[in-house]
Amino acid sequence: MWIYVVIGIIILIIIYAIILYNSFIKLNNKVTEAFSTMDIYLKKRWDLIPNIVETVKGYAKHEKDTLKEIVDLRNNAYNEMSDEEKIKTNEQLSSKINKIMALAEAYPDLKSNENFKDLSNQLTKVEDDIANSRKYYNGVVRTFNNKVEMFPNNIFARLFGYKSKAMFEASENERKNIKVEL
């Protein structure tokens, strides 16, 4: 009699593990999809940066440090970065780009330059797309992390090799107001 109970419990655990494994796969694929969507917008911004930097260079020669930092970040091979490196580098770029956009306010000639206006509009649209894709990505990661971290799923997650994923968060610099001093 006890043997049937034990066999029944083992069968239930196996069924639960199979269902849980499939849900881990499904959520992991959603996280990958969400990151890929966000990655498209990050790459768009990545490709816009050299044009913006070149346009600003002519107007803000004494802002060389900020421009150099952006160029240095941009010179990394984007396609060779891991997801975590992409997140970190793009957090740093966001901070630097905000400085450049604030500089435009201080240089009326730059602000009225058609090339800069066009690039600025493109960048604004891409930044909006990035913000929306970050929200989606973070929502999917939250759901995945809840599944991976909650008991008893966390036991199976470890057995299946699943770990919590990093959220795309605003850096400390992004949270601060940008102060432009001339």
Side-chain angles (χ1 to χ4, degrees), residues 50-64 67-68 71 110:
N51 298 327
I52 291 170
V53 168
E54 286 304 313
T55 303
V56 172
K57 269 184 185 176
Y59 288 92
K61 296 208 186 289
H62 66 279
E63 298 295 338
K64 286 182 184 173
L67 297 174
K68 184 181 179 328
V71 170
L110 173 60

Side-chain angles (χ1 to χ4, degrees), residues 16 20 23-24 146-158 160:
Y16 180 74
L20 191 58
S23 69
F24 282 137
N146 285 346
K147 187 80 152 189
V148 167
E149 295 169 4
M150 292 177 147
F151 182 80
N153 298 350
N154 61 347
I155 296 167
F156 288 97
R158 262 186 262 131
F160 298 143

Side-chain angles (χ1 to χ4, degrees), residues 33-46 48 78 90 94 119-138 168 174:
E33 175 209 5
F35 187 86
S36 294
T37 301
M38 182 175 56
D39 197 37
I40 290 167
Y41 297 119
L42 294 174
K43 181 73 168 105
K44 263 187 187 180
R45 177 174 69 178
W46 191 263
L48 273 174
Y78 190 81
N90 276 289
S94 292
L119 291 169
S120 176
N121 290 337
Q122 288 180 48
L123 185 61
T124 300
K125 175 153 181 15
V126 169
E127 291 293 333
D128 290 343
D129 291 340
I130 289 171
N132 288 330
S133 63
R134 275 182 177 182
K135 282 188 240 176
Y136 177 66
Y137 172 77
N138 284 343
F168 204 133
E174 285 180 293

Side-chain angles (χ1 to χ4, degrees), residues 11-28:
I11 289 173
L12 287 176
I13 290 172
I14 290 171
I15 291 171
Y16 180 74
I18 290 169
I19 292 170
L20 191 58
Y21 181 78
N22 289 335
S23 69
F24 282 137
I25 298 267
K26 182 179 175 183
L27 283 172
N28 191 51

Side-chain angles (χ1 to χ4, degrees), residues 60-85:
K61 296 208 186 289
H62 66 279
E63 298 295 338
K64 286 182 184 173
D65 291 342
T66 299
L67 297 174
K68 184 181 179 328
E69 290 170 5
I70 290 172
V71 170
D72 289 346
L73 284 171
R74 173 59 180 78
N75 283 339
N76 294 325
Y78 190 81
N79 294 334
E80 294 174 14
M81 291 181 187
S82 70
D83 291 352
E84 290 79 21
E85 289 171 329

